[in-house]
């Protein structure tokens, strides 16, 4: 089945309904395997790749840049990266959303990605200690300098995005055209406000962790240790410990019979569901290996009848979350806006 091309918000750009996430590249996935996954993704009709400066402190960007340099398909790829995460353990200015850091990191990302422009430059997290006009003006300058085509956000609250749209209007800068939130069948919080807000303002929505980092693949079973080498086997990460709570098994066990009845894997059911949600542009997949990419791609063929969607809603309600997939900075704004 040909991959659907969908409007990227109100921009006029068309992106594939699956985005290839590169978080594992340069981490658990070596360079050769990363290049092979990029090649297969582009051959399968994907034209959208997402990475971030902070993924393995630049190694993910380097792998994506190398893959696109080798296959010569940079021009037809809509390439997204992000800034905000700490790029140094000691220097407090090597992170965040200040003009200084954003402009410096953009140049670093361009170098690592072996490209002259970034199609979508995203702020990885909101920061209540940094004025939104500081961030928007820096991003606007990057667009005007020809280094960036569009700007987006990640894991913002709906109110923060609406504020950013109105501040951009007030300042006459470019605005965010896309939000990248966590969204999966363990965490449906964005249905409450973010999704309706994005539809009202014509923002693209590109969900991260559509398989909840693998929790929705069926390989984590109640009472068993996480499989060796799997993401959640790393119990030193407190975030992972919080997500791997008992309530996720109720959802997994509720969905598994549905997947069996439809003759698909649990991961295809879970990803297919996000792919089909109204208001979603492109879920971002995060394969560690080629067989996971192949399994993920079959999800685009999964469709849901209305009664099946109701069945899903009985397992996990609209807007419900059983695993915290963001702990963003939603504290009181500590800054004077101007
Ligand atoms: N904006 C943000 O803050 C943010 C945060 C996270 C991710 N992202 C973006 O979103 C992308 C996707 O995130 P994600 O990696 O968390 O997505 P995901 O699809 O929820 O999880 C992917 C992980 O699940 C496991 N998996 C995938 N398919 C499988 C299969 N068929 N069978 C068994 N296990 C399977 C693999 O982990 P193991 O095999 O290692 O267990 C894989 O790395 C990232 O690459 C990145 O671009 C953004």
């Amino acid at each position: 089945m040909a991959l659907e091309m969908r409007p990227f918000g109100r921009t006029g750009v068309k992106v594939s309904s699956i985005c290839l996430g590169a978080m594992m590249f340069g981490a658990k996935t070596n360079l050769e395997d990363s290049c092979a996954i990029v090649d297969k993704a582009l051959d399968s009709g994907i034209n959208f790749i997402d990475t971030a400066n902070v993924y393995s402190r630049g190694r993910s960007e380097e792998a994506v840049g190398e893959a696109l340099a080798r296959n010569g398909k940079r021009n037809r790829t809509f390439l997204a990266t992000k800034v905000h995460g700490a790029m140094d353990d000691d220097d407090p200015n090597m992170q965040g959303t200040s003009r200084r850091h954003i402009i410096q990191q953009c140049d670093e990302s361009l170098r690592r990605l072996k490209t002259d422009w970034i199609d979508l430059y995203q702020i990885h997290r909101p920061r209540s200690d940094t004025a939104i006009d500081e961030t928007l003006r820096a991003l606007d300058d990057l667009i005007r300098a020809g280094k960036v085509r569009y700007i987006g956000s990640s894991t913002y609250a709906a109110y923060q995005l609406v504020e950013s749209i109105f501040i951009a209007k007030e300042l006459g800068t470019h605005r965010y055209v896309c939000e990248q939130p966590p969204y999966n069948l363990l965490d449906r919080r964005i249905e409450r406000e973010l999704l309706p807000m994005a539809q009202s303002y014509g923002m693209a929505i590109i969900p991260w962790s559509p398989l909840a980092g693998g929790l929705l693949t069926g390989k984590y079973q109640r009472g068993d240790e996480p499989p060796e080498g799997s993401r959640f086997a790393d119990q030193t990460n407190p975030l992972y410990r919080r997500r791997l709570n008992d309530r996720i098994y109720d959802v997994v066990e509720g969905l598994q019979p549905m997947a069996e009845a439809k003759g698909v894997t649990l991961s295809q059911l879970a990803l297919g569901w996000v792919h089909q949600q109204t208001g979603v542009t492109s879920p971002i997949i995060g394969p560690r290996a080629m067989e996971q990419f192949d399994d993920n791609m079959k999800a685009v063929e999964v469709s849901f009848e209305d009664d099946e969607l109701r069945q899903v809603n009985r397992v996990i309600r609209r807007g419900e979350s059983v695993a915290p997939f963001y702990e963003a900075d939603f504290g009181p704004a500590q800054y004077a806006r101007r």
Side-chain angles (χ1 to χ4, degrees):
M1 186 192 278
L3 207 50
E4 198 186 325
M5 299 301 278
R6 294 179 176 169
F8 186 64
R10 65 212 275 271
T11 64
V13 171
K14 304 284 186 295
V15 290
S16 49
S17 64
I18 294 287
C19 173
L20 176 66
M23 193 169 69
M24 291 299 104
F25 299 176
K28 283 183 167 180
T29 313
N30 67 31
L31 179 63
E32 293 312 312
D33 291 349
S34 304
C35 289
I37 293 173
V38 169
D39 288 351
K40 191 156 185 193
L42 298 182
D43 288 345
S44 310
I46 287 179
N47 73 345
F48 192 3
I49 300 180
D50 176 72
T51 180
N53 64 341
V54 78
Y55 295 160
S56 303
R57 293 242 167 112
R59 287 206 305 279
S60 167
E61 287 186 329
E62 282 166 0
V64 172
E66 179 63 23
L68 293 175
R70 284 189 196 175
N71 66 27
K73 293 184 176 160
R74 169 65 189 98
N75 270 336
R76 46 162 301 185
T77 304
F78 193 76
L79 185 54
T81 191
K82 315 184 197 77
V83 58
H84 164 272
M87 296 299 283
D88 185 280
D89 289 335
D90 304 316
D91 185 347
N93 291 316
M94 281 295 278
Q95 58 174 282
T97 56
S98 67
R99 157 178 288 272
R100 183 178 192 274
H101 186 60
I102 289 172
I103 291 176
Q104 192 245 354
Q105 281 303 302
C106 181
D107 285 335
E108 292 292 308
S109 290
L110 287 169
R111 182 183 56 74
R112 286 187 291 253
L113 290 164
K114 298 189 191 340
T115 186
D116 295 332
W117 82 99
I118 292 162
D119 292 292
L120 174 66
Y121 201 38
Q122 303 157 105
I123 297 297
H124 215 146
R125 286 288 182 280
R127 295 275 291 221
S128 62
D129 67 354
T130 310
I132 187 67
D133 53 301
E134 159 97 0
T135 300
L136 284 172
R137 283 197 202 272
L139 292 171
D140 191 63
D141 286 348
L142 291 175
I143 293 181
R144 289 174 202 272
K147 297 181 180 186
V148 166
R149 298 288 180 264
Y150 298 102
I151 56 173
S153 56
S154 177
T155 322
Y156 274 46
Y159 82 85
Q160 291 170 317
L161 280 171
V162 172
E163 179 192 37
S164 79
I165 287 171
F166 281 90
I167 297 290
K169 202 168 190 172
E170 191 176 276
L171 300 176
T173 65
H174 287 83
R175 51 166 271 192
Y176 292 139
V177 298
C178 176
E179 156 65 18
Q180 182 175 148
Y183 187 40
N184 54 58
L185 276 169
L186 298 177
D187 189 350
R188 297 181 61 174
R189 281 177 293 176
I190 69 165
E191 293 168 12
R192 299 178 196 167
E193 292 202 27
L194 194 81
L195 270 181
M197 182 283 303
Q199 286 178 278
S200 299
Y201 288 93
M203 291 189 94
I205 290 283
I206 55 171
W208 55 267
S209 290
L211 297 177
L215 296 177
L216 288 165
T217 61
K219 67 183 178 186
Y220 300 93
Q221 298 285 324
R222 198 190 294 272
D224 291 353
E225 286 296 314
E228 204 175 323
S230 64
R231 192 179 295 184
F232 288 82
D234 176 12
Q235 287 291 296
T236 55
N237 188 330
L239 246 186
Y240 291 173
R241 272 206 310 276
R242 268 204 302 284
R243 286 175 191 166
L244 199 60
N245 69 54
D246 222 39
R247 292 174 70 205
I248 68 156
Y249 298 112
D250 300 336
V251 176
V252 167
E253 289 162 14
L255 295 172
Q256 190 76 61
M258 286 187 63
E260 279 159 25
K262 287 175 81 63
V264 299
T265 63
L266 180 63
S267 53
Q268 289 158 12
L269 177 111
L271 178 57
W273 180 87
V274 177
H275 181 255
Q276 195 184 300
Q277 288 303 292
T278 306
V280 165
T281 311
S282 317
I284 312 173
I285 58 171
R288 178 181 48 75
M290 190 65 90
E291 62 271 18
Q292 295 181 351
F293 172 79
D294 292 338
D295 176 73
N296 293 172
M297 287 304 282
K298 294 201 187 92
V300 301
E301 290 161 29
V302 179
S303 60
F304 293 82
E305 303 294 335
D306 285 351
D307 65 314
E308 291 176 317
L309 292 173
R310 280 193 289 274
Q311 218 177 321
V312 170
N313 290 346
R314 282 195 289 275
V315 176
I316 174 157
R317 291 189 311 276
R318 285 187 59 76
E320 188 183 356
S321 173
V322 297
F325 261 78
Y326 59 77
E327 295 82 18
D329 184 359
F330 295 157
Q334 299 160 9
Y335 57 84
R337 193 178 286 149
R338 288 179 295 281

